[in-house]
Amino acid sequence: MTQPVSPHTATATAGRDDSSVRAKELARYLATDHGYGSVFTPLLPRVLVTHRHGSHESWTPDTPVQVLVNDVNAGKQRNVECKVLGHHDQNDVVFCITDEELDAPDLDLGVAPGARYLLLGCSNRSQRKPYSVSQGVISTTIPDANGLIRGDAPSIPGYSGGGCFSEETGKLFAVNVGKDDRNGGRAMLVHVASLLTLLRTHKGAPVPEWDWGEGA
C-alpha cells in the first residue's frame, strides 16, 4: 500500500532539488589552483579573490598565478593566467587580476541574519564534479574585529576562498576565509561590500562605480 507523502517531506525534498540545481548553476563561479590547494572566487569579471595560504612571499604583487576555471556547465575546467594584485593581512584576503574576463556573479551588498546560503568549494577531488557545496544560514552580520561575519555551517578544508551565495537569488554576498575554532568551526566570511572597499585600495583595480554613500 502506498503511503501518502507528508507536505513537509515534499517541501523539504523540493528544497534540496532546488539547491542542487542552484549549486550546479553557480559552479562556474569557482576556480582552483592546479594543485587544488587554493579556491578562488570571481568578484568581478577580471578580479579573483581567495584566502591566503602558505607564505606571504608567494602572494606578493605581480606574482603570476595559473588557475583552473569551471566552464559554463561545470563539467570541465580550463586554464586562465592571472597575477597577484595584493593581499590584506587583517583577514588574509588576496586579490588577483586575470588576463581575460571571466563569468562573474551578480553581487548582493546587503545580507540579513537567517539568510540561507550555498558555499562553494573543492573538498573532494575523488568525485567527478570539479566542485563541492555546503549549505548554511548566516548567523551574524555584525563584523568582528577583523571585519568578518559568520555562517552557521562549519568551514572544512577545501572551502577557504569559496564564494557564499544566496540560496534564493544566486547572488554572491561573501567569501569564506576560514573557520571560527572558538565557536564550533563556523564559517568566517568577508562580506562583498568589504571586499569592494579593500579592492579600491589597489591602484589600477577595475572597481565599478557603486553608490558608496556619504563619506565613502
Side-chain angles (χ1 to χ4, degrees), residues 13-126:
T13 301
R16 288 194 296 270
D17 290 343
D18 290 345
S19 295
S20 178
V21 171
R22 175 76 74 186
K24 186 173 182 180
E25 293 172 348
L26 295 174
R28 67 183 185 274
Y29 303 133
L30 179 135
T32 69
D33 64 1
H34 281 251
Y36 300 103
S38 295
V39 172
F40 299 75
T41 298
L43 179 66
L44 299 170
R46 291 192 60 222
V47 176
L48 295 173
V49 61
T50 187
H51 173 251
R52 181 173 59 192
H53 297 85
S55 67
H56 289 202
E57 290 75 16
S58 61
W59 296 107
T60 55
D62 295 325
T63 299
V65 180
Q66 291 189 343
V67 298
L68 294 171
V69 177
N70 287 345
D71 68 2
V72 175
N73 60 21
K76 57 183 179 180
Q77 296 177 298
R78 62 185 178 88
N79 187 69
V80 170
E81 303 281 345
C82 60
K83 63 181 179 181
V84 176
L85 188 61
H87 61 75
H88 297 267
D89 293 333
Q90 184 178 23
N91 45 32
D92 284 336
V93 164
V94 178
F95 293 108
C96 296
I97 188 164
T98 61
D99 290 346
E100 61 183 90
E101 288 197 350
L102 306 176
D103 284 337
D106 291 333
L107 305 181
D108 188 345
L109 299 183
V111 62
R116 299 188 62 83
Y117 65 80
L118 299 174
L119 180 61
L120 290 185
C122 190
S123 63
N124 184 5
R125 285 305 305 164
S126 64

Side-chain angles (χ1 to χ4, degrees), residues 4 25 30 42 65 97 108 117 121 138 140 144 155 158 166 182 203 210-211:
E25 293 172 348
L30 179 135
V65 180
I97 188 164
D108 188 345
Y117 65 80
I138 294 297
T140 177
D144 64 13
S155 176
S166 166
R182 293 179 297 178
K203 184 178 180 180
W210 295 97
D211 181 6

Side-chain angles (χ1 to χ4, degrees), residues 135-213:
Q135 295 174 273
V137 174
I138 294 297
S139 54
T140 177
T141 57
I142 301 174
D144 64 13
N146 294 317
L148 306 176
I149 61 176
R150 297 292 189 276
D152 71 339
S155 176
I156 62 176
Y159 281 91
S160 293
C164 187
F165 298 85
S166 166
E167 188 175 274
E168 179 181 1
T169 67
K171 292 183 178 181
L172 176 70
F173 60 70
V175 168
N176 181 39
V177 293
K179 62 178 180 177
D180 186 348
D181 290 322
R182 293 179 297 178
N183 291 286
R186 291 188 300 168
M188 302 168 68
L189 310 169
V190 184
H191 190 265
V192 160
S194 297
L195 290 171
L196 291 172
T197 299
L198 293 174
L199 183 60
R200 287 204 305 167
T201 66
H202 296 284
K203 184 178 180 180
V207 185
E209 293 297 325
W210 295 97
D211 181 6
W212 294 92

